[in-house]
Amino acid sequence: MVVAGLAVAVAGLLWFKPWALWVDETVNEALPSATATPSEPAASGLSSASVAPTPPGPVIVAQGVFVSHEHATTGRAKIIRLADGTHTLRLEGLDTSNGPDLRVWLSDAPVKEGKAGWGVFDDGKHVNLARLKGNKGEQNYPLPSDFDWSAYPSVSIWCDRFDVSFGAAALTRT
């Protein structure tokens, strides 16, 4: 009986991973510096007047501030268009609790403050971009080139183990 109780306790600890709440993982990634390949008019035989200008980058195209859900969460989420035309989701100043199986999701659900917003992000369309790299700091998540990020106006730090949002940000076009 004692062995069975101990086995259940160990299994519970492995499932909940309560120690993760006290272990921070800080990530400080620089903003990606993808650059468009410049055209060379002399090599192509074109005049410099007929060469399309290189698109500016990086440019913030949408952003929002995190609100807390299951755990206190602060920071900013930004969709950034790089000079080569690709997009990246950037989390800046992120500060949330660590936890088991945290993910970065884009969702079509509206961001609701407080307990009302804890579980809405898996109700509609959502995209699991990646595992959260760290619960603190600056981090980048490249978006697929054929992905229409504008159809997903919110970002959630989602705990896949317990189906709950730690915090979320509504993305507003800039």
Side-chain angles (χ1 to χ4, degrees), residues 11-30:
L13 285 172
L14 291 175
W15 176 255
F16 283 99
K17 296 184 179 180
W19 56 86
L21 293 173
W22 294 281
V23 177
D24 289 329
E25 293 180 42
T26 302
V27 174
N28 286 308
E29 296 180 325

Side-chain angles (χ1 to χ4, degrees), residues 62-69 73-78 92 94 111 113 155 167-172:
Q63 63 182 323
V65 175
F66 277 98
V67 298
S68 298
H69 285 146
T73 302
T74 58
R76 285 193 156 294
K78 297 178 178 181
E92 292 182 344
L94 179 67
V111 174
E113 292 198 34
V155 177
L171 296 171
T172 304

